[in-house]
């Protein structure tokens, strides 16, 4: 699917001329595009680490830096089908942190639930900008701000409880944790909206805030699937194809027909997400290197063949 996305973007946006596409991008390129395109996935790496740390701390003892190292390694491994990085992290929690596998699997489902809630809140935020009725705008605005306030307060309380050595057991602790995680997911989606606006800006497309938020929500929803490489590109491409700002961009202003406009929109969406995918890979490499370094400093080696790390096995004996 990724290969088809590359071929479609190449054909639709540049008419088969990679040089023309590169010239169009370089004409609009500025130095600050690099830290935005690469910095967003790095920031999301730590935000995702915060989400899984908040959820996993209810199951067992795991540090924030430890979780960031695990997710840094997973960024590279998850490019393979069925997300082997996720399976490796679950095995690590079982072997090293002594956490029951069902409990670890439950935290993954809770993270998916928090992500779904974050997507829903992001779409509500898009409605604040796009809705025609003032009542709808105000309802969505109050709902979004209220949800974020609850999430921030819950997250602050959980971090304070962790620093004080207190737990977050019970239904109230679970609800607070999920609200905090959903608020973090909203922050991730907002950052992705900024990145899509920048990526499409390089192609001559000026997205409205509502359109950028919708594209980000679609991207985050596609990232929840077991196979996200290629799937995310096509999801963003089809979403962009129906957006007026993309179909009527300078590249497609003279298209002359609705079908041609959809084609231009699909090509722009695919190309923008492929730019983001390239930035994801650039960000994943230092994240994985840091994760490997942290694990080596902490354990001295990495579990091989399903065996517990030698140092941790000695500590537990």
């Amino acid at each position: 699917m990724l290969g088809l996305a590359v071929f479609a973007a190449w054909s639709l946006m540049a008419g088969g001329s990679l040089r023309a596409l590169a010239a169009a991008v370089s004409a609009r390129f500025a130095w600050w595009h690099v830290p935005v395109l690469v910095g967003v996935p790095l920031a999301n790496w730590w935000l995702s680490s915060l989400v899984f740390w908040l959820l996993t701390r209810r199951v067992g003892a795991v540090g924030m830096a430890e979780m960031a190292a695990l997710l840094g390694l997973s960024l590279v491994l998850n490019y393979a089908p069925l997300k082997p990085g996720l399976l490796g992290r679950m095995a690590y929690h079982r072997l090293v942190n002594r956490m029951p596998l069902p409990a670890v699997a439950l935290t993954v489902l809770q993270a998916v639930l928090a992500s779904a809630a974050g997507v829903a809140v992001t779409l509500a935020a898009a409605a604040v900008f796009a809705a025609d009725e003032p009542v709808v705008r105000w309802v969505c605005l109050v709902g979004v701000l209220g949800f974020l306030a609850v999430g921030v307060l819950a997250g602050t309380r959980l971090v304070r409880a962790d620093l004080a050595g207190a737990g977050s057991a019970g239904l109230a602790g679970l609800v607070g944790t999920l609200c905090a995680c959903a608020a973090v997911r909203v922050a991730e989606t907002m950052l992705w909206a900024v990145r899509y606006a920048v990526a499409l800006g390089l192609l001559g497309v000026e997205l409205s805030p509502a359109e950028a938020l919708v594209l980000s929500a679609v991207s985050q929803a596609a990232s929840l699937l077991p196979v996200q490489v290629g799937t995310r590109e096509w999801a963003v491409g089809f979403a962009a194809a129906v957006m007026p700002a993309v179909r009527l961009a300078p590249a497609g202003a003279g298209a002359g027909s609705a079908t041609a406009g959809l084609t231009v929109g699909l090509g722009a969406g695919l190309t923008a997400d492929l730019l983001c995918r390239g930035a994801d890979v650039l960000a994943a490499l230092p994240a994985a290197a840091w994760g490997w370094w942290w694990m080596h400093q902490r354990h001295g080696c990495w579990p091989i063949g399903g065996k517990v790390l030698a140092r941790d096995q000695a500590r537990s004996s």
Side-chain angles (χ1 to χ4, degrees):
M1 291 184 69
L2 182 61
L4 288 175
V6 172
F7 177 77
W10 174 54
S11 302
L12 298 176
M13 282 299 295
S17 173
L18 186 60
R19 180 176 299 178
L21 179 59
V25 172
S26 61
R28 303 180 180 92
F29 183 80
W31 67 268
W32 56 269
H33 288 130
V34 174
V36 172
L37 293 174
V38 179
V40 166
L42 287 175
N44 280 3
W45 161 41
W46 282 95
L47 290 174
S48 295
S49 301
L50 177 59
V51 168
F52 281 102
W53 175 74
L54 288 172
L55 292 170
T56 310
R57 63 186 288 277
R58 294 174 48 83
V59 180
V62 58
M64 177 63 185
E66 184 177 12
M67 185 62 71
L70 286 171
L71 264 68
L73 291 168
S74 297
L75 287 177
V76 173
L77 296 176
N78 282 342
Y79 277 103
L82 302 180
K83 297 186 176 181
L86 171 62
L87 300 178
R89 184 172 61 82
M90 293 176 64
Y92 177 93
H93 288 318
R94 174 66 183 89
L95 295 173
V96 178
N97 302 126
R98 300 294 190 266
M99 298 180 184
L101 274 180
V104 176
L106 182 59
T107 63
V108 175
L109 295 178
Q110 291 170 346
V112 172
L113 179 61
S115 297
V119 169
V121 174
T122 302
L123 292 176
V128 174
F129 296 99
D132 295 327
E133 295 293 333
V135 175
V136 176
R137 290 186 177 183
W138 279 106
V139 169
C140 291
L141 178 61
V142 172
V144 170
L145 293 180
F147 184 88
L148 292 178
V150 171
V152 171
L153 291 176
T156 303
R157 181 179 178 183
L158 290 172
V159 172
R160 288 179 177 176
D162 185 80
L163 294 176
S168 58
L171 181 59
L174 175 60
V175 173
T177 301
L178 291 177
C179 289
C181 291
V184 175
R185 290 302 194 194
V186 172
E188 288 186 50
T189 312
M190 298 291 183
L191 288 175
W192 275 82
V194 173
R195 194 164 76 141
Y196 278 118
V198 170
L200 280 164
L202 287 173
L203 303 176
V205 180
E206 294 185 7
L207 288 180
S208 67
E211 290 170 329
L213 289 170
V214 169
L215 279 184
S216 180
V218 170
S219 173
Q220 292 296 312
S223 297
L224 298 177
L225 299 176
V227 180
Q228 59 170 304
V229 178
T231 305
R232 193 189 79 185
E233 283 78 2
W234 283 104
V236 172
F238 283 119
V242 299
M243 293 181 175
V246 183
R247 290 188 288 112
L248 302 177
S257 68
T259 302
L262 291 173
T263 301
V264 170
L266 176 61
L270 287 171
T271 304
D273 201 71
L274 286 171
L275 288 174
C276 292
R277 180 68 72 185
D280 290 344
V281 174
L282 291 178
L285 294 178
W290 183 87
W292 180 88
W293 175 85
W294 191 94
M295 287 293 173
H296 189 271
Q297 293 295 314
R298 171 72 179 273
H299 303 293
C301 59
W302 185 253
I304 299 176
K307 297 181 180 180
V308 182
L309 299 174
R311 186 178 299 178
D312 291 296
Q313 191 174 21
R315 288 176 180 175
S316 60
S317 60

